[in-house]
């Protein structure tokens, strides 16, 4: 079953008191929400956010985790650490992690396997940069990222992965991919999943788009048939704006 999800990625923003205030305010604005709502917050906000979101329709996720169970990895957080405080979502392989922390597809694959084995839903980010798009090799790049990232995952396991197509040139730039760009890429991703697994898995995997999504363009984007939701950066930082964006799903 494809899930309808809108996730916010706060990146390195918000202190715990701001997170709590945000969640209380957002909850008031999304009473009739018809999709899963996830806020991926900084580690230091996780516990406060989970407590504040208890009993609401807001889910809390992390933005990264390590692939090993435990050990000498100064500064890192394990899947078990997330799971034991009830974190059930984690972003894996965001382009900013790839760019600033040298994350490779192989490493992302290890993280995915670990997240799945701990029953944490991974939101796998993939996407091409501007140069790759200019060269017309965007599909090749994205399909390679997916092929390596999903290596070793069974059909049952891959059904729990959420894939977010985030073209790097659209992140934080205000340049949204066209409906056609998104549609073509999401179709290409489903085709690749059907080759790697089967048509049933391909039709049931949840695909998101991310890159300059906001309250004004969300409705049109969310109409794309293969798109099951969005991963939102900047526009998820303001409760009023994010609330309006989320309500696009409940307006028929
Ligand atoms: P923006 O919505 O700010 O473009 O960021 C997208 C993103 O990186 C979400 O992970």
């Amino acid at each position: 079953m494809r899930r309808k999800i809108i996730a916010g990625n706060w990146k390195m923003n918000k202190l715990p008191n701001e997170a709590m205030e945000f969640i209380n305010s957002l909850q008031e604005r999304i009473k009739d929400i018809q999709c899963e709502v996830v806020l991926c917050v900084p580690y230091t906000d996780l516990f406060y956010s989970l407590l504040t979101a208890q009993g609401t329709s807001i889910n809390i996720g992390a933005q990264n985790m390590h692939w090993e169970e435990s050990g000498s990895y100064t500064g890192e957080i394990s899947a078990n650490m997330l799971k034991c405080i009830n974190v059930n979502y984690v972003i894996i392989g965001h382009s900013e992690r790839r760019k600033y922390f040298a994350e490779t597809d192989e490493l992302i694959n290890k993280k995915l396997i670990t997240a799945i084995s701990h029953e944490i839903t991974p939101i796998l980010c993939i996407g091409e940069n501007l140069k790759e798009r200019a060269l017309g090799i965007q599909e090749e790049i994205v399909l390679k990222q997916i092929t390596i990232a999903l290596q070793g995952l069974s059909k049952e396991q891959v059904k729990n992965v959420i894939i977010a197509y985030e073209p790097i040139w659209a992140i934080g730039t205000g340049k949204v991919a066209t409906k056609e760009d998104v549609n073509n890429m999401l179709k290409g991703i489903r085709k690749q999943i059907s080759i790697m697994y089967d048509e049933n898995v391909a039709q049931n995997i949840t695909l998101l788009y991310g890159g300059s999504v906001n309250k004004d363009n969300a409705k049109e984007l969310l109409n794309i048939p293969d798109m099951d939701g969005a991963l939102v950066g900047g526009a998820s930082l303001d409760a009023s704006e994010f609330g309006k964006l989320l309500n696009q799903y409940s307006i028929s």
Side-chain angles (χ1 to χ4, degrees), residues 7-11 91 94-96 123 125 164 166-175 209-214 230-237:
N9 174 10
W10 282 358
K11 309 191 179 183
I91 296 175
H94 192 279
S95 60
E96 288 150 15
I123 303 175
C125 297
E166 296 206 308
I168 296 167
W169 48 270
I171 296 178
T173 58
K175 282 188 209 151
Y209 163 77
S212 297
V213 179
N214 60 37
L231 182 55
V232 184
S236 73
L237 290 171

Side-chain angles (χ1 to χ4, degrees), residues 209-247:
Y209 163 77
S212 297
V213 179
N214 60 37
K215 65 176 177 8
D216 301 318
N217 60 25
K219 191 164 187 190
E220 204 187 342
L221 286 165
L222 291 167
N223 277 333
I224 298 173
D226 276 298
M227 182 169 150
D228 305 307
L231 182 55
V232 184
S236 73
L237 290 171
D238 178 85
S240 161
E241 164 137 12
F242 196 47
K244 285 181 187 149
L245 192 161
L246 290 169
N247 280 305

Side-chain angles (χ1 to χ4, degrees), residues 64-125:
N64 180 35
M65 50 159 253
H66 200 273
W67 64 89
E68 290 289 357
E69 294 299 319
S70 63
S72 303
Y73 300 99
T74 303
E76 290 293 326
I77 298 281
S78 72
N80 206 20
M81 291 168 181
L82 296 177
K83 194 67 192 178
C84 86
I85 58 166
N86 279 330
V87 173
N88 292 317
Y89 299 81
V90 63
I91 296 175
I92 302 279
H94 192 279
S95 60
E96 288 150 15
R97 302 266 346 145
R98 295 175 189 255
K99 180 176 174 188
Y100 299 118
F101 304 96
E103 291 199 4
T104 60
D105 291 319
E106 288 74 13
L107 186 147
I108 288 161
N109 170 246
K110 288 191 201 180
K111 292 187 176 193
L112 269 188
I113 292 171
T114 304
I116 292 282
S117 71
H118 285 268
E119 295 179 353
I120 299 176
T121 300
I123 303 175
L124 165 67
C125 297

